[in-house]
């Protein structure tokens, strides 16, 4: 079974058209499938339309949020509810084309765990395309997972690769990175992209800042989640070094130049850097305690096993 996951927010004009298109695709290629709509607190009549579709077609499941929680939360709800072995998220604005589902599945069957869509011929305004290209470049360089289009919602995942992933903020676009951490094989194929016909885009320029901040979190989690003292302690040691450097410089000015310590900000800088260094190192120690409590209290392992040979499970 495949699970098609569609977060929607105020997309009442698009839902029926999208459903008909998906229905045509899954019947054409004879897919055993379910369609999960997550209504992310829509203020139009999206909930009524989805209710009618669910009564009409038992392949449709609907999750209605009490209020708007964002695309990441909606996608997470769909993943949690999905019964399929393969998950295919897509947007509810008709810009993704359901006919690409067969291409995603074909690529997945070549042995990949994640197949990401690439809106190679994108039909959006320059004010959306340019920041997206910059973000994709930065994400690829920093994460080491090189994709042309992280923002494309149309993807295919094997559920066992992402079943333990928990998403927050705007991090749905980083699922391929998380899957790569789990040892998953990632591929990317061009997909069709349509211009928006109905409704209003929910994406604004403020998403750029959110993506950059989330990217910092992703990089931190990739390199330092198991040893946070390395980054906090590193910053603390550098700050402490600058503290002693400022103090030595102040003493040198006093001894060799006769400069009064009151006349220079160096003693104050020395104290400031020392306090910052001590506080940062203490934060690192606190983060270490939290990390160890997280793993040990829940019995979580710090490693992932692909398979075992000639070993019995204990």
């Amino acid at each position: 079974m495949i699970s098609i996951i569609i977060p929607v927010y105020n997309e009442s004009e698009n839902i029926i058209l999208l459903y008909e298109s998906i229905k045509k695709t899954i019947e054409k290629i004879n897919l055993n499938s379910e369609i999960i709509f997550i209504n992310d607190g829509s203020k139009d009549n999206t909930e009524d339309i989805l209710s009618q579709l669910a009564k009409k077609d038992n392949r449709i499941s609907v999750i209605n949020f009490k209020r708007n929680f964002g695309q990441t939360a909606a996608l997470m709800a769909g993943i949690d509810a999905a019964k399929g072995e393969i998950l295919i998220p897509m947007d509810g604005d008709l810009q993704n084309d359901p006919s690409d589902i067969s291409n995603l599945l074909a690529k997945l069957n070549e042995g990949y765990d994640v197949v990401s869509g690439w809106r190679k011929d994108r039909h959006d305004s320059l004010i959306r395309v340019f920041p997206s290209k910059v973000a994709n470049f930065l994400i690829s360089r920093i994460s080491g997972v090189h994709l042309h289009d992280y923002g494309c919602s149309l993807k295919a995942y094997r559920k066992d690769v992402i079943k333990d992933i928990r998403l927050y903020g705007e991090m749905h676009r980083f699922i391929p990175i998380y899957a790569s951490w789990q040892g998953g094989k990632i591929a990317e194929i061009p997909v069709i992209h349509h211009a928006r016909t109905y409704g209003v885009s929910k994406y604004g320029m403020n998403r750029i800042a959110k993506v950059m901040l989330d990217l910092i979190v992703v990089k931190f989690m990739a390199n330092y989640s198991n040893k946070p003292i390395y980054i906090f302690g590193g910053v603390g040691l550098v700050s402490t070094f600058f503290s002693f450097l400022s103090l030595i410089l102040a003493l040198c000015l006093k001894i060799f130049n006769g400069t009064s310590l009151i006349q220079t900000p160096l003693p104050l800088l020395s104290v400031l850097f020392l306090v910052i260094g001590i506080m940062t190192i203490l934060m690192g120690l606190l983060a270490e305690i939290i990390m160890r409590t997280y793993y040990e209290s829940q019995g979580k392992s710090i490693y992932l096993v692909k398979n075992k040979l000639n070993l019995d499970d204990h």
Side-chain angles (χ1 to χ4, degrees):
M1 176 183 280
I2 69 165
S3 298
I4 302 171
I5 302 170
I6 311 169
V8 291
Y9 177 64
N10 293 343
E11 297 288 358
S12 58
E13 296 170 299
N14 294 315
I15 290 172
I16 294 177
L17 293 173
L18 177 61
Y19 163 71
E20 295 293 343
S21 182
I22 294 174
K23 179 183 175 183
K24 181 179 178 181
T25 296
I26 61 180
E27 290 178 351
K28 180 179 179 180
I29 56 181
N30 193 27
L31 284 176
N32 178 24
S33 60
E34 63 173 353
I35 306 169
I36 304 174
F37 283 98
I38 304 91
N39 174 25
D40 188 18
S42 298
K43 294 179 174 62
D44 58 7
N45 62 334
T46 292
E47 183 175 345
D48 295 334
I49 294 173
L50 291 176
S51 178
Q52 294 170 15
L53 287 177
K55 292 176 182 177
K56 175 183 176 182
D57 190 338
N58 58 13
R59 291 173 297 189
I60 292 179
S61 300
V62 178
I63 300 172
N64 290 305
F65 283 178
K66 290 184 176 181
R67 63 172 179 84
N68 181 248
F69 286 92
Q71 187 175 4
T72 297
L75 187 59
M76 193 74 253
I79 292 173
D80 289 340
K83 300 174 183 176
E85 295 86 7
I86 296 172
L87 311 182
I88 301 180
M90 63 187 302
D91 284 333
D93 55 10
L94 288 177
Q95 291 194 270
N96 295 146
D97 197 315
S99 65
D100 281 313
I101 290 176
S102 59
N103 297 328
L104 292 171
L105 293 175
K107 191 69 176 178
L108 204 67
N109 287 334
E110 292 179 14
Y112 293 99
D113 299 294
V114 178
V115 180
S116 182
W118 170 21
R119 297 166 294 182
K120 192 173 183 178
D121 184 18
R122 187 171 174 180
H123 296 278
D124 277 325
S125 63
L126 183 62
I127 198 171
R128 288 188 61 192
V129 173
F130 178 72
S132 178
K133 287 183 178 294
V134 173
N136 288 322
F137 173 77
L138 291 174
I139 295 169
S140 294
R141 287 295 299 271
I142 293 174
S143 70
V145 180
H146 297 280
L147 297 178
H148 292 90
D149 191 359
Y150 274 92
C152 181
S153 296
L154 186 59
K155 295 177 170 66
Y157 304 101
R158 296 190 187 277
K159 190 175 184 180
D160 58 352
V161 176
I162 66 169
K163 62 183 179 180
D164 294 324
I165 293 174
R166 309 310 299 173
L167 302 174
Y168 307 93
E170 296 285 334
M171 290 191 175
H172 61 275
R173 68 190 72 246
F174 300 134
I175 294 180
I177 299 174
Y178 289 112
S180 178
W181 294 351
Q182 304 289 331
K185 293 178 62 178
I186 317 295
E188 186 178 41
I189 63 171
V191 295
I192 300 169
H193 186 251
H194 299 290
R196 178 182 270 274
T197 305
Y198 303 105
V200 179
S201 174
K202 315 304 183 299
Y203 301 95
M205 294 294 289
N206 63 331
R207 288 216 163 199
I208 299 174
K210 293 178 180 179
V211 169
M212 293 301 102
L213 293 173
D214 282 338
L215 185 56
I216 293 172
V217 176
V218 168
K219 186 63 177 177
F220 176 82
M221 295 297 291
N223 294 345
Y224 303 108
S225 62
N226 289 334
K227 291 299 295 180
I229 189 64
Y230 288 166
I231 188 167
F232 288 104
V235 172
L237 291 175
V238 170
S239 183
T240 304
F241 170 77
F242 278 114
S243 172
F244 284 108
L245 191 65
S246 299
L247 181 60
I248 291 171
L249 185 57
L251 292 174
C252 287
L253 288 174
K254 173 66 176 177
I255 296 170
F256 298 108
N257 201 34
T259 304
S260 172
L261 295 179
I262 301 176
Q263 293 177 302
T264 173
L266 290 174
L268 183 60
L269 283 175
S270 178
V271 173
L272 179 63
F273 280 127
L274 182 62
V275 170
I276 292 174
I278 293 172
M279 293 299 294
T280 309
I281 291 172
L282 290 175
M283 286 177 63
L285 293 173
L286 181 60
E288 283 282 326
I289 293 171
I290 293 172
M291 181 276 298
R292 292 167 191 265
T293 302
Y294 168 75
Y295 279 103
E296 294 174 12
S297 66
Q298 300 185 52
K300 288 183 177 290
S301 173
I302 60 171
Y303 56 84
L304 297 171
V305 176
K306 182 178 181 180
N307 54 41
K308 296 180 181 180
L309 300 176
N310 296 334
L311 284 173
D312 294 327
D313 291 331
H314 297 288

